[in-house]
Amino acid sequence: MIREPKKPIIIPVDVKPSEHFLKVDGVFNCGAAMLGDEYILLCRVAESCREQEEGYVCVPVYDEREGRLKTEKLSLEEIGQKYDMSDSRMIFRKNASGIKKIKYLTSISHLRLARSRDGIHFKVDGQPALPFQGRYERWGMEDPRITCMEEEGRYCITYTAVSELGAMPALLITGDFVEYQRVGAIFPPENKDVTIFPRKIGGLYYACHRPVPYEIGTPDIWIASSPDLIHWGDHRHVCGVNEEGWENGRIGSGVPPIYTERGWLHIYHGADVHNRYCLGAMLTDLSDPGKIIARSQRPVLEPEAAYEREGFFGEVVFACGCVQNGSALYVYYGAADDKIARAEVTLEELFDSMEAVDTNER
Ligand code: MAN
């Protein structure tokens, strides 16, 4: 993939905080679409408390009863005994047997719209695209993906609703990015990385998803189908982590699948056990979209540029959106969990990067 010479195209200073007591830590993982002749990015904006009180760590959470954001305080003394703050993204609580559970996120994310005429210079809206809603969004809304439903003149937006109850994929539907219909949760927690296919296959909607098994199994890509975008079933395993290498930790669908003559093209993310996130590509069968035809053996993009290696959480490239222009794809991706960058690649280049998968072995 060829990186856009402008380097990151949106950075935190381009984004106004949504509240006076917050600061913007990152603008990153974004869905992408065309709305008429305008490029639309729906960005994840992460915010934390602008000021920290002495002796405390303050984190923002959404209070669904009051319908507003508020600050939760943890004393540093308590943190020292019970919590682990070595990951910039979250605060873990250690229990007696040493098992770590996420107790808080250090920031809360919302969805923010950015618009552009050329796909490179974006103007970011001053306010979130829509407010938080309900107890499942107490810790925020993350990683939006936009699918333009080709035959329906509407867009499906999946995102991860996060709360202490878990990370849970939810769906929004819009025709204009002004009014949003909230469909709500479509998979139970813990699940992430849901991408909806842009057209029905055999009369059904399809989505990739990524359940996170707790005791048995690894975080892999699965597929499900639905008659109505609300009720999902026929869950099947598509592709797993590789024991060795760049995707031995977790994988998840990235950009919503793209229709090509050779099959459904997927640009997904793979992370290693050290949380270094790269992009990979695979092709699945047009009429049996859970069946892999080919898969990249090496990453098609990996964190190499300074802005991908350093940031809020370094060594991350994470794509949720792309705009197709003939055989060219403009891939919009989060770099180091705090900026948005763009890279260009052709369909042919991606096909050439993949090797056939022997499906008889599956
Ligand atoms: C999470 C994802 C993303 C994020 C990466 C890297 O698993 O859901 O939100 O970009 O980790 O931090």
Side-chain angles (χ1 to χ4, degrees):
M1 290 196 188
I2 308 293
R3 289 174 175 81
E4 160 56 39
K6 191 173 181 255
K7 297 186 173 159
I9 56 167
I10 310 182
I11 56 174
V13 294
D14 300 331
V15 185
K16 257 182 45 192
S18 65
E19 300 271 357
H20 68 278
F21 69 96
L22 297 175
K23 64 175 171 57
V24 174
D25 288 341
V27 50
F28 51 122
N29 311 342
C30 59
M34 293 301 292
L35 179 66
D37 55 6
E38 222 174 23
Y39 288 77
I40 294 283
L41 296 183
L42 191 60
C43 314
R44 170 176 172 189
V45 171
E47 297 176 303
S48 63
C49 293
R50 182 186 293 276
E51 274 162 28
Q52 294 291 334
E53 242 177 82
E54 204 170 329
Y56 292 93
V57 170
C58 301
V59 293
V61 292
Y62 172 65
D63 183 328
E64 84 282 6
R65 282 188 212 114
E66 291 181 27
R68 65 178 180 93
L69 287 171
K70 65 177 194 195
T71 302
E72 217 144 282
K73 293 197 308 188
L74 280 169
S75 86
L76 279 173
E77 206 175 303
E78 202 188 348
I79 285 177
Q81 292 160 10
K82 296 188 201 148
Y83 297 94
D84 174 346
M85 289 188 63
S86 55
D87 189 314
S88 58
R89 302 168 299 176
M90 40 224 168
I91 302 173
F92 291 102
R93 190 180 169 123
K94 297 174 271 190
N95 72 11
S97 44
I99 294 170
K100 292 200 309 187
K101 286 283 252 181
I102 300 169
K103 188 68 186 154
Y104 290 99
L105 298 183
T106 53
S107 58
I108 188 164
S109 295
H110 66 261
L111 311 185
R112 189 87 67 105
L113 210 68
R115 296 169 189 272
S116 166
R117 290 271 164 208
D118 64 5
I120 296 166
H121 303 87
F122 280 86
K123 188 163 179 347
V124 184
D125 277 4
Q127 283 300 312
L130 72 169
F132 298 113
Q133 197 180 79
R135 62 193 293 227
Y136 304 128
E137 293 178 5
R138 278 183 195 154
W139 292 5
M141 302 164 80
E142 302 184 351
D143 302 347
R145 274 115 171 155
I146 306 170
T147 302
C148 176
M149 305 305 287
E150 291 163 0
E151 291 141 8
E152 303 178 19
R154 58 180 183 164
Y155 301 84
C156 284
I157 301 165
T158 56
Y159 66 98
T160 311
V162 196
S163 71
E164 72 282 9
L165 297 167
M168 183 170 72
L171 175 65
L172 302 166
I173 295 177
T174 189
D176 55 9
F177 292 91
V178 178
E179 305 279 335
Y180 297 88
Q181 179 203 338
R182 279 182 172 272
V183 177
I186 50 172
F187 293 95
E190 184 176 342
N191 198 316
K192 283 183 171 183
D193 306 323
V194 170
T195 56
I196 293 180
F197 286 68
R199 57 173 83 161
K200 287 183 175 176
I201 303 159
L204 293 171
Y205 293 103
Y206 276 83
C208 290
H209 65 109
R210 205 286 301 278
V212 186
Y214 189 62
E215 289 191 314
I216 302 175
T218 46
D220 296 343
I221 299 176
W222 289 65
I223 198 166
S225 61
S226 168
D228 56 8
L229 293 167
I230 301 167
H231 305 90
W232 294 89
D234 192 20
H235 297 274
R236 283 183 290 146
H237 185 262
V238 177
C239 117
V241 301
N242 274 332
E243 298 247 311
E244 284 168 47
W246 57 279
E247 48 179 0
N248 59 3
R250 51 186 59 229
I251 59 173
S253 181
V255 170
I258 299 159
Y259 179 89
T260 76
E261 283 176 0
R262 294 206 199 174
W264 290 105
L265 173 64
H266 303 249
I267 299 175
Y268 67 94
H269 63 262
D272 67 14
V273 289
H274 306 293
N275 281 324
R276 179 174 186 266
Y277 281 75
C278 298
L279 301 184
M282 66 176 181
L283 263 185
T284 63
D285 191 274
L286 282 180
S287 53
D288 183 3
K291 183 173 148 200
I292 305 187
I293 300 169
R295 183 174 176 184
S296 55
Q297 299 303 302
R298 285 192 305 276
V300 294
L301 189 76
E302 52 188 317
E304 286 169 336
Y307 55 90
E308 298 161 350
R309 301 204 61 196
E310 289 148 35
F312 183 76
F313 190 78
E315 303 289 343
V316 174
V317 291
F318 192 98
C320 293
C322 135
V323 169
Q324 184 172 1
N325 182 4
S327 70
L329 300 178
Y330 307 135
V331 179
Y332 292 91
Y333 63 97
D337 277 3
D338 60 2
K339 331 160 194 76
I340 292 174
R342 175 177 128 146
E344 200 175 323
V345 68
T346 65
L347 294 177
E348 286 304 324
E349 286 165 337
L350 286 179
F351 295 149
D352 289 348
S353 77
M354 291 186 243
E355 277 176 32
V357 172
D358 183 358
T359 43
N360 293 329
E361 279 177 17
R362 296 180 72 236

PDB file of all heavy atoms in Angstrom, residues 303-325:
ATOM      1  N   PRO A 303       2.838  -1.343  10.808  1.00  0.00           N
ATOM      2  CA  PRO A 303       3.295  -0.071  11.384  1.00  0.00           C
ATOM      3  C   PRO A 303       4.791   0.142  11.152  1.00  0.00           C
ATOM      4  O   PRO A 303       5.604  -0.559  11.740  1.00  0.00           O
ATOM      5  CB  PRO A 303       2.965  -0.197  12.877  1.00  0.00           C
ATOM      6  CG  PRO A 303       2.541  -1.590  13.116  1.00  0.00           C
ATOM      7  CD  PRO A 303       2.296  -2.266  11.808  1.00  0.00           C
ATOM      8  N   GLU A 304       5.086   1.073  10.261  1.00  0.00           N
ATOM      9  CA  GLU A 304       6.486   1.364   9.924  1.00  0.00           C
ATOM     10  C   GLU A 304       6.775   2.854  10.042  1.00  0.00           C
ATOM     11  O   GLU A 304       7.845   3.244  10.492  1.00  0.00           O
ATOM     12  CB  GLU A 304       6.794   0.885   8.500  1.00  0.00           C
ATOM     13  CG  GLU A 304       6.925  -0.620   8.410  1.00  0.00           C
ATOM     14  CD  GLU A 304       6.965  -1.136   6.982  1.00  0.00           C
ATOM     15  OE1 GLU A 304       6.455  -0.437   6.070  1.00  0.00           O
ATOM     16  OE2 GLU A 304       7.493  -2.236   6.781  1.00  0.00           O
ATOM     17  N   ALA A 305       5.821   3.694   9.606  1.00  0.00           N
ATOM     18  CA  ALA A 305       6.030   5.150   9.669  1.00  0.00           C
ATOM     19  C   ALA A 305       6.019   5.576  11.140  1.00  0.00           C
ATOM     20  O   ALA A 305       5.379   4.930  11.978  1.00  0.00           O
ATOM     21  CB  ALA A 305       4.913   5.860   8.912  1.00  0.00           C
ATOM     22  N   ALA A 306       6.699   6.686  11.422  1.00  0.00           N
ATOM     23  CA  ALA A 306       6.786   7.168  12.809  1.00  0.00           C
ATOM     24  C   ALA A 306       5.399   7.368  13.410  1.00  0.00           C
ATOM     25  O   ALA A 306       5.160   7.012  14.570  1.00  0.00           O
ATOM     26  CB  ALA A 306       7.583   8.468  12.847  1.00  0.00           C
ATOM     27  N   TYR A 307       4.455   7.917  12.612  1.00  0.00           N
ATOM     28  CA  TYR A 307       3.117   8.202  13.147  1.00  0.00           C
ATOM     29  C   TYR A 307       2.306   6.932  13.372  1.00  0.00           C
ATOM     30  O   TYR A 307       1.229   6.979  13.978  1.00  0.00           O
ATOM     31  CB  TYR A 307       2.372   9.208  12.260  1.00  0.00           C
ATOM     32  CG  TYR A 307       2.269   8.816  10.805  1.00  0.00           C
ATOM     33  CD1 TYR A 307       1.195   8.064  10.337  1.00  0.00           C
ATOM     34  CD2 TYR A 307       3.235   9.207   9.880  1.00  0.00           C
ATOM     35  CE1 TYR A 307       1.086   7.715   9.003  1.00  0.00           C
ATOM     36  CE2 TYR A 307       3.141   8.851   8.547  1.00  0.00           C
ATOM     37  CZ  TYR A 307       2.077   8.109   8.111  1.00  0.00           C
ATOM     38  OH  TYR A 307       1.987   7.757   6.788  1.00  0.00           O
ATOM     39  N   GLU A 308       2.764   5.785  12.875  1.00  0.00           N
ATOM     40  CA  GLU A 308       2.091   4.511  13.143  1.00  0.00           C
ATOM     41  C   GLU A 308       2.767   3.789  14.321  1.00  0.00           C
ATOM     42  O   GLU A 308       2.138   3.015  15.035  1.00  0.00           O
ATOM     43  CB  GLU A 308       2.163   3.616  11.906  1.00  0.00           C
ATOM     44  CG  GLU A 308       1.468   4.214  10.709  1.00  0.00           C
ATOM     45  CD  GLU A 308       1.893   3.593   9.378  1.00  0.00           C
ATOM     46  OE1 GLU A 308       2.866   2.812   9.339  1.00  0.00           O
ATOM     47  OE2 GLU A 308       1.265   3.921   8.370  1.00  0.00           O
ATOM     48  N   ARG A 309       4.036   4.074  14.490  1.00  0.00           N
ATOM     49  CA  ARG A 309       4.795   3.393  15.550  1.00  0.00           C
ATOM     50  C   ARG A 309       4.643   4.100  16.896  1.00  0.00           C
ATOM     51  O   ARG A 309       4.742   3.472  17.940  1.00  0.00           O
ATOM     52  CB  ARG A 309       6.274   3.335  15.166  1.00  0.00           C
ATOM     53  CG  ARG A 309       6.499   2.597  13.844  1.00  0.00           C
ATOM     54  CD  ARG A 309       7.868   2.045  13.757  1.00  0.00           C
ATOM     55  NE  ARG A 309       8.083   1.091  14.835  1.00  0.00           N
ATOM     56  CZ  ARG A 309       9.257   0.654  15.221  1.00  0.00           C
ATOM     57  NH1 ARG A 309      10.338   1.084  14.612  1.00  0.00           N
ATOM     58  NH2 ARG A 309       9.378  -0.205  16.207  1.00  0.00           N
ATOM     59  N   GLU A 310       4.435   5.433  16.840  1.00  0.00           N
ATOM     60  CA  GLU A 310       4.339   6.192  18.092  1.00  0.00           C
ATOM     61  C   GLU A 310       3.016   6.930  18.174  1.00  0.00           C
ATOM     62  O   GLU A 310       2.557   7.494  17.182  1.00  0.00           O
ATOM     63  CB  GLU A 310       5.463   7.234  18.160  1.00  0.00           C
ATOM     64  CG  GLU A 310       6.824   6.616  18.376  1.00  0.00           C
ATOM     65  CD  GLU A 310       7.904   7.427  17.702  1.00  0.00           C
ATOM     66  OE1 GLU A 310       7.774   8.666  17.680  1.00  0.00           O
ATOM     67  OE2 GLU A 310       8.843   6.809  17.168  1.00  0.00           O
ATOM     68  N   GLY A 311       2.455   6.937  19.379  1.00  0.00           N
ATOM     69  CA  GLY A 311       1.180   7.629  19.565  1.00  0.00           C
ATOM     70  C   GLY A 311       0.556   7.169  20.863  1.00  0.00           C
ATOM     71  O   GLY A 311       1.236   6.637  21.744  1.00  0.00           O
ATOM     72  N   PHE A 312      -0.760   7.335  20.963  1.00  0.00           N
ATOM     73  CA  PHE A 312      -1.458   6.961  22.196  1.00  0.00           C
ATOM     74  C   PHE A 312      -1.234   5.481  22.529  1.00  0.00           C
ATOM     75  O   PHE A 312      -0.993   5.118  23.674  1.00  0.00           O
ATOM     76  CB  PHE A 312      -2.947   7.253  22.034  1.00  0.00           C
ATOM     77  CG  PHE A 312      -3.734   6.969  23.272  1.00  0.00           C
ATOM     78  CD1 PHE A 312      -3.695   7.836  24.348  1.00  0.00           C
ATOM     79  CD2 PHE A 312      -4.493   5.811  23.379  1.00  0.00           C
ATOM     80  CE1 PHE A 312      -4.405   7.560  25.509  1.00  0.00           C
ATOM     81  CE2 PHE A 312      -5.204   5.526  24.529  1.00  0.00           C
ATOM     82  CZ  PHE A 312      -5.151   6.402  25.593  1.00  0.00           C
ATOM     83  N   PHE A 313      -1.324   4.650  21.495  1.00  0.00           N
ATOM     84  CA  PHE A 313      -0.970   3.228  21.650  1.00  0.00           C
ATOM     85  C   PHE A 313      -0.221   2.832  20.383  1.00  0.00           C
ATOM     86  O   PHE A 313      -0.815   2.690  19.314  1.00  0.00           O
ATOM     87  CB  PHE A 313      -2.240   2.385  21.869  1.00  0.00           C
ATOM     88  CG  PHE A 313      -1.942   0.969  22.278  1.00  0.00           C
ATOM     89  CD1 PHE A 313      -1.581   0.674  23.592  1.00  0.00           C
ATOM     90  CD2 PHE A 313      -1.988  -0.055  21.355  1.00  0.00           C
ATOM     91  CE1 PHE A 313      -1.286  -0.628  23.969  1.00  0.00           C
ATOM     92  CE2 PHE A 313      -1.708  -1.360  21.731  1.00  0.00           C
ATOM     93  CZ  PHE A 313      -1.353  -1.649  23.042  1.00  0.00           C
ATOM     94  N   GLY A 314       1.093   2.718  20.502  1.00  0.00           N
ATOM     95  CA  GLY A 314       1.966   2.596  19.329  1.00  0.00           C
ATOM     96  C   GLY A 314       1.911   1.230  18.656  1.00  0.00           C
ATOM     97  O   GLY A 314       1.310   0.277  19.152  1.00  0.00           O
ATOM     98  N   GLU A 315       2.518   1.188  17.460  1.00  0.00           N
ATOM     99  CA  GLU A 315       2.633  -0.060  16.678  1.00  0.00           C
ATOM    100  C   GLU A 315       1.257  -0.558  16.236  1.00  0.00           C
ATOM    101  O   GLU A 315       0.967  -1.756  16.308  1.00  0.00           O
ATOM    102  CB  GLU A 315       3.354  -1.159  17.482  1.00  0.00           C
ATOM    103  CG  GLU A 315       4.743  -0.803  17.973  1.00  0.00           C
ATOM    104  CD  GLU A 315       5.768  -0.735  16.837  1.00  0.00           C
ATOM    105  OE1 GLU A 315       5.512  -1.261  15.750  1.00  0.00           O
ATOM    106  OE2 GLU A 315       6.822  -0.100  17.058  1.00  0.00           O
ATOM    107  N   VAL A 316       0.413   0.395  15.786  1.00  0.00           N
ATOM    108  CA  VAL A 316      -0.936  -0.008  15.357  1.00  0.00           C
ATOM    109  C   VAL A 316      -1.294   0.634  14.018  1.00  0.00           C
ATOM    110  O   VAL A 316      -1.195   1.851  13.855  1.00  0.00           O
ATOM    111  CB  VAL A 316      -2.015   0.404  16.398  1.00  0.00           C
ATOM    112  CG1 VAL A 316      -3.419   0.106  15.865  1.00  0.00           C
ATOM    113  CG2 VAL A 316      -1.814  -0.302  17.740  1.00  0.00           C
ATOM    114  N   VAL A 317      -1.690  -0.192  13.049  1.00  0.00           N
ATOM    115  CA  VAL A 317      -2.483   0.274  11.900  1.00  0.00           C
ATOM    116  C   VAL A 317      -3.782  -0.534  11.947  1.00  0.00           C
ATOM    117  O   VAL A 317      -3.748  -1.753  12.096  1.00  0.00           O
ATOM    118  CB  VAL A 317      -1.751   0.123  10.541  1.00  0.00           C
ATOM    119  CG1 VAL A 317      -0.586   1.078  10.448  1.00  0.00           C
ATOM    120  CG2 VAL A 317      -1.277  -1.304  10.273  1.00  0.00           C
ATOM    121  N   PHE A 318      -4.923   0.159  11.867  1.00  0.00           N
ATOM    122  CA  PHE A 318      -6.214  -0.493  12.116  1.00  0.00           C
ATOM    123  C   PHE A 318      -7.237   0.133  11.166  1.00  0.00           C
ATOM    124  O   PHE A 318      -7.627   1.287  11.344  1.00  0.00           O
ATOM    125  CB  PHE A 318      -6.594  -0.253  13.580  1.00  0.00           C
ATOM    126  CG  PHE A 318      -7.740  -1.078  14.093  1.00  0.00           C
ATOM    127  CD1 PHE A 318      -7.508  -2.238  14.827  1.00  0.00           C
ATOM    128  CD2 PHE A 318      -9.051  -0.695  13.864  1.00  0.00           C
ATOM    129  CE1 PHE A 318      -8.571  -2.996  15.317  1.00  0.00           C
ATOM    130  CE2 PHE A 318     -10.120  -1.451  14.347  1.00  0.00           C
ATOM    131  CZ  PHE A 318      -9.883  -2.601  15.077  1.00  0.00           C
ATOM    132  N   ALA A 319      -7.645  -0.614  10.136  1.00  0.00           N
ATOM    133  CA  ALA A 319      -8.545  -0.032   9.117  1.00  0.00           C
ATOM    134  C   ALA A 319      -9.992  -0.443   9.359  1.00  0.00           C
ATOM    135  O   ALA A 319     -10.282  -1.618   9.600  1.00  0.00           O
ATOM    136  CB  ALA A 319      -8.114  -0.481   7.736  1.00  0.00           C
ATOM    137  N   CYS A 320     -10.892   0.535   9.274  1.00  0.00           N
ATOM    138  CA  CYS A 320     -12.329   0.253   9.370  1.00  0.00           C
ATOM    139  C   CYS A 320     -13.050   0.700   8.094  1.00  0.00           C
ATOM    140  O   CYS A 320     -14.233   0.445   7.946  1.00  0.00           O
ATOM    141  CB  CYS A 320     -12.960   1.005  10.539  1.00  0.00           C
ATOM    142  SG  CYS A 320     -12.425   0.467  12.151  1.00  0.00           S
ATOM    143  N   GLY A 321     -12.349   1.437   7.202  1.00  0.00           N
ATOM    144  CA  GLY A 321     -13.074   1.976   6.060  1.00  0.00           C
ATOM    145  C   GLY A 321     -12.213   2.167   4.843  1.00  0.00           C
ATOM    146  O   GLY A 321     -10.991   2.271   4.931  1.00  0.00           O
ATOM    147  N   CYS A 322     -12.889   2.223   3.704  1.00  0.00           N
ATOM    148  CA  CYS A 322     -12.174   2.402   2.441  1.00  0.00           C
ATOM    149  C   CYS A 322     -13.143   2.936   1.414  1.00  0.00           C
ATOM    150  O   CYS A 322     -14.357   2.702   1.514  1.00  0.00           O
ATOM    151  CB  CYS A 322     -11.589   1.036   2.105  1.00  0.00           C
ATOM    152  SG  CYS A 322     -11.745   0.445   0.489  1.00  0.00           S
ATOM    153  N   VAL A 323     -12.642   3.702   0.452  1.00  0.00           N
ATOM    154  CA  VAL A 323     -13.466   4.182  -0.654  1.00  0.00           C
ATOM    155  C   VAL A 323     -12.860   3.618  -1.931  1.00  0.00           C
ATOM    156  O   VAL A 323     -11.650   3.677  -2.128  1.00  0.00           O
ATOM    157  CB  VAL A 323     -13.523   5.728  -0.688  1.00  0.00           C
ATOM    158  CG1 VAL A 323     -14.146   6.227  -1.991  1.00  0.00           C
ATOM    159  CG2 VAL A 323     -14.312   6.264   0.506  1.00  0.00           C
ATOM    160  N   GLN A 324     -13.736   3.047  -2.773  1.00  0.00           N
ATOM    161  CA  GLN A 324     -13.259   2.443  -4.017  1.00  0.00           C
ATOM    162  C   GLN A 324     -13.421   3.431  -5.156  1.00  0.00           C
ATOM    163  O   GLN A 324     -14.457   4.081  -5.292  1.00  0.00           O
ATOM    164  CB  GLN A 324     -14.076   1.175  -4.298  1.00  0.00           C
ATOM    165  CG  GLN A 324     -13.577   0.433  -5.506  1.00  0.00           C
ATOM    166  CD  GLN A 324     -14.251  -0.918  -5.695  1.00  0.00           C
ATOM    167  OE1 GLN A 324     -15.137  -1.288  -4.902  1.00  0.00           O
ATOM    168  NE2 GLN A 324     -13.864  -1.633  -6.731  1.00  0.00           N
ATOM    169  N   ASN A 325     -12.375   3.538  -5.998  1.00  0.00           N
ATOM    170  CA  ASN A 325     -12.426   4.394  -7.172  1.00  0.00           C
ATOM    171  C   ASN A 325     -11.907   3.561  -8.339  1.00  0.00           C
ATOM    172  O   ASN A 325     -10.707   3.454  -8.540  1.00  0.00           O
ATOM    173  CB  ASN A 325     -11.552   5.632  -6.900  1.00  0.00           C
ATOM    174  CG  ASN A 325     -11.582   6.615  -8.056  1.00  0.00           C
ATOM    175  OD1 ASN A 325     -12.309   6.407  -9.029  1.00  0.00           O
ATOM    176  ND2 ASN A 325     -10.782   7.661  -7.954  1.00  0.00           N
TER     177      ASN A 325
END
